Amino acid sequence: MADSTRQSTSPSPRTADQPGASGAESLVSSSSLETSIREAQEALRARPRVSLRRRLGGSFLLWLLGSLGLAVVSVGIVARIRTKVAFMETATSYSFEIQQARRFEKNYFLYGTGLADVQVHIDRAQAILDQAGDELAMVIGREDFELMARHLRRYRELLDQLAGLDSRADDSAAERLHAIEEELRTHGAEMVAVAENLVAKERQAVNSMLAVSQRIPVAFMAILVLLMLYLAAFVSKQILAPLKRMVGYSRRIARGDFTPITPRKKYHDEFSELAVAMNHMMLQLAQRQDLLVRAHKLKAVGTLTAGVAHELNNPLNNIILTASMLEEDFHDMSADECLELVRDLVSESERARKIVRNLLDFARESEGEMEALRIDQIVEDTLRLAGNQIKLAKVKVEGQVEENLPPVYGDRQQLEQVFLNLVLNALDAMPQGGRLRIHIGKSPDRESVAVRIEDTGVGIPKQRLQEIFDPFFTSKKSKGTGLGLSVSLGIVQRYGGDIHVESEVGKGSAFTVLLPVTKVPADIANPFERDNAGD
């Protein structure tokens, strides 16, 4: 049967990434916590604001401007290459016309034909020079351009003179022809050299621009890789790392450690706002947890009051009887007999006062003072406080305490409240009486003191084990508020401890309270003053 299977459960199992914070370092009074959180909030807000959104926007804006700049440079280079290619075509055409003119010039002097062809090509070269003169002057310089134009004009004049000598056949004409030939060759050679130099310069310029245009994509890729590395580092350092810290803070808060988040960076960003909100949440959680603890404490006081009233009845009856006897027989009694009755009155009064004092000590509000405590003494005081309920429930208590137990650090009243709640729950589980076994010793890992409270009551069904620590869960129907175990677990977890439960229907339940063995730090009185990683 499922209900007869023995189960063990823990409401908050520990994992490797949840370091056990000392309970002594995670529990202080509400006023101290409020002061510490207020100081942390002021420190978080006092830093200069540098928005994460603005930094991301600025980075992308720089990237956009850089990309636009590279695009503009690329477009400009392409446009210049296009212009250079067009100009190089013009220069090539000019050079071609000059070379053709020189070729027909040679034919003319060798065979006497082709002079008209020379003039045609020279006229074409002159037309090119007139059309692209300004561009040519910018490329080769104004002085070289004027020299090239003079050579071309002089070459054209010599061609005209040469054409005028064709009909003459005297010796002077022959000499003149030879002189014109020499001068034509000189000017023609100069024009060819200038044209070839012009084409070579333009070709070099185009090649240089092509090389630059080839480097632009490489530079763009390099900048893109650097930007990706920067963005990866930015996301890792400015987003993922703070998120990881926030996850750590959330886990710490879930363990009941309400140490406020303090500033870590020099500026204020969105994660600082989140830290402010988490600090406010911690304060609200601490205040509400304190309210729950107080509410459950009042319920426990109400439960104890019935037993205390019954327990006070005996000494009060004795006081009334003794006082009545003293009143009736006072004149017939000796001084020693009167003194004996007075001593009885004092003794019973002391007994009644002790009963009331125990209840008042438990009900009194504490300041959450941390101190070294003997856990066996806490359990003993709790059993004494619940002694009358134990008698009324007809429950027999059996105890076993190991020797040389280390102390634990915490608040006496809150620990008494935890054990009182577990004892009263055990009594409720044994309405017909039974046996309550309490064992106090070290946990198997020797890191905690374990208090095992085992009853022989009705037990808890398997399907309810995971719910018993939930707030407002109760199996007592009209009796109980369902806050006892939830409040007790909250108190223990604030000390870095835990509560485990084992149960078997019809045989009983066993609750084990684990409280860590902790060395007292030097600043235990105010744990919030220690160095704390913040945001």
Side-chain angles (χ1 to χ4, degrees):
M1 296 290 291
D3 287 348
S4 63
T5 304
R6 194 165 186 82
Q7 296 290 329
S8 174
T9 182
S10 171
S12 56
R14 285 189 197 285
T15 59
D17 60 349
Q18 292 181 344
S22 166
E25 293 184 351
S26 62
L27 183 64
V28 293
S29 65
S30 297
S31 59
S32 176
L33 176 63
E34 186 174 356
T35 300
S36 300
I37 289 182
R38 186 183 300 111
E39 293 174 354
Q41 301 289 68
E42 292 175 356
L44 285 169
R45 292 192 175 103
R47 297 170 298 168
R49 183 174 181 83
V50 181
S51 172
L52 186 63
R53 182 184 305 172
R54 290 181 181 177
R55 281 181 286 162
L56 282 173
S59 300
F60 282 111
L61 180 61
L62 289 176
W63 162 244
L64 179 61
L65 292 176
S67 301
L68 289 176
L70 285 174
V72 170
V73 171
S74 299
V75 170
I77 290 177
V78 170
R80 290 194 62 189
I81 290 176
R82 185 179 298 162
T83 303
K84 287 290 184 182
V85 169
F87 181 74
M88 190 171 66
E89 291 178 356
T90 301
T92 302
S93 299
Y94 175 79
S95 177
F96 174 78
E97 298 297 337
I98 295 298
Q99 290 174 354
Q100 287 295 101
R102 291 300 314 280
R103 187 177 295 113
F104 283 108
E105 173 198 329
K106 290 179 182 178
N107 289 337
Y108 173 76
F109 285 113
L110 289 175
Y111 307 111
T113 60
L115 182 60
D117 294 327
V118 176
Q119 292 175 330
V120 169
H121 287 292
I122 288 299
D123 290 339
R124 289 177 181 174
Q126 184 64 52
I128 293 173
L129 198 65
D130 293 339
Q131 183 178 2
D134 293 337
E135 296 181 14
L136 287 171
M138 290 179 61
V139 173
I140 63 177
R142 176 60 62 178
E143 184 177 350
D144 291 338
F145 174 75
E146 293 294 339
L147 179 63
M148 184 174 64
R150 285 197 299 271
H151 282 303
L152 185 61
R153 285 194 301 270
R154 181 58 182 164
Y155 193 89
R156 186 69 177 82
E157 292 172 357
L158 291 172
L159 288 178
D160 292 339
Q161 294 177 13
L162 188 61
L165 292 175
D166 283 342
S167 59
R168 301 177 186 180
D170 54 6
D171 293 338
S172 62
E175 293 178 0
R176 180 62 179 161
L177 180 63
H178 181 70
I180 291 174
E181 179 182 358
E182 291 296 328
E183 192 173 355
L184 278 174
R185 288 181 178 177
T186 300
H187 288 291
E190 288 293 333
M191 288 190 297
V192 169
V194 171
E196 290 178 349
N197 182 48
L198 177 62
V199 172
K201 281 186 176 181
E202 287 305 295
R203 184 177 289 110
Q204 182 180 2
V206 170
N207 289 334
S208 299
M209 290 184 181
L210 287 174
V212 172
S213 66
Q214 290 174 346
R215 294 190 190 102
I216 287 178
V218 177
F220 182 80
M221 291 301 298
I223 294 174
L224 181 62
V225 170
L226 292 176
L227 179 66
M228 295 302 294
L229 292 176
Y230 167 76
L231 287 178
F234 180 87
V235 170
S236 176
K237 183 177 180 181
Q238 303 296 331
I239 298 179
L240 296 182
L243 280 176
K244 185 177 180 180
R245 288 199 301 271
M246 292 301 167
V247 170
Y249 299 149
S250 300
R251 289 174 176 167
R252 173 165 62 78
I253 294 169
R255 294 196 301 269
D257 183 358
F258 295 152
T259 306
I261 303 172
T262 53
R264 179 170 179 170
K265 296 177 290 191
K266 296 181 180 179
Y267 50 84
H268 180 99
D269 58 13
E270 286 80 359
F271 285 104
S272 301
E273 293 294 334
L274 180 57
V276 169
M278 292 182 73
N279 280 341
H280 181 70
M281 178 187 69
M282 281 189 280
L283 180 60
Q284 296 298 314
L285 285 175
Q287 291 174 347
R288 281 162 175 74
Q289 189 171 26
D290 286 342
L291 289 176
L292 285 176
V293 171
R294 293 175 185 176
H296 186 263
K297 188 173 184 179
L298 290 175
K299 177 183 175 296
V301 170
T303 302
L304 291 175
T305 300
V308 169
H310 185 274
E311 193 170 354
L312 279 175
N313 191 50
N314 290 332
L316 289 177
N317 282 339
N318 292 336
I319 290 173
I320 292 172
L321 291 174
T322 304
S324 298
M325 185 181 300
L326 183 60
E327 181 182 15
E328 292 176 0
D329 301 332
F330 178 77
H331 296 288
D332 299 330
M333 298 175 64
S334 63
D336 291 337
E337 290 175 334
C338 289
L339 184 58
E340 183 66 25
L341 291 178
V342 170
R343 287 173 179 169
D344 288 342
L345 290 173
V346 172
S347 175
E348 293 299 324
S349 298
E350 287 290 338
R351 179 183 170 189
R353 185 174 68 172
K354 186 176 180 181
I355 294 171
V356 175
R357 181 185 297 166
N358 287 338
L359 180 62
L360 290 177
D361 288 342
F362 175 75
R364 185 179 298 114
E365 292 292 335
S366 68
E367 294 297 327
E369 181 179 355
M370 306 296 295
E371 57 181 328
L373 300 171
R374 287 180 52 190
I375 200 66
D376 55 333
Q377 186 64 51
I378 297 294
V379 175
E380 183 179 343
D381 292 343
T382 303
L383 291 175
R384 186 181 301 112
L385 187 63
N388 200 63
Q389 275 71 21
I390 294 173
K391 292 177 184 177
L392 293 175
K394 301 178 181 179
V395 171
K396 181 179 180 181
V397 179
E398 298 176 358
Q400 183 180 0
V401 181
E402 294 182 6
E403 295 181 352
N404 301 320
L405 287 177
V408 298
Y409 293 90
D411 178 71
R412 173 181 294 275
Q413 285 197 4
Q414 292 201 347
L415 287 180
E416 282 184 1
Q417 184 174 347
V418 171
F419 293 121
L420 179 63
N421 178 67
L422 295 177
V423 169
L424 294 179
N425 283 351
L427 297 180
D428 290 338
M430 298 181 287
Q432 306 300 324
R435 185 170 296 160
L436 183 64
R437 301 185 184 93
I438 299 178
H439 178 272
I440 306 175
K442 287 186 178 180
S443 61
D445 60 6
R446 316 294 289 179
E447 297 293 330
S448 302
V449 174
V451 180
R452 181 182 176 89
I453 301 176
E454 183 177 359
D455 63 63
T456 57
V458 295
I460 304 171
K462 174 184 176 181
Q463 64 272 18
R464 312 300 289 273
L465 284 177
Q466 298 295 335
E467 305 173 359
I468 61 174
F469 290 97
D470 294 341
F472 306 108
F473 173 83
T474 179
S475 60
K476 301 176 184 179
K477 298 182 180 180
S478 60
K479 181 181 180 181
T481 62
L483 292 174
L485 288 177
S486 177
V487 170
S488 298
L489 178 63
I491 292 173
V492 172
Q493 285 185 334
R494 289 172 69 184
Y495 290 97
D498 212 343
I499 299 179
H500 297 176
V501 58
E502 302 172 8
S503 187
E504 186 174 345
V505 174
K507 292 189 177 180
S509 304
F511 287 81
T512 302
V513 179
L514 297 173
L515 293 169
V517 176
T518 312
K519 294 181 179 179
V520 182
D523 56 352
I524 192 66
N526 191 355
F528 294 124
E529 293 180 357
R530 69 184 188 274
D531 185 21
N532 176 43
D535 203 279

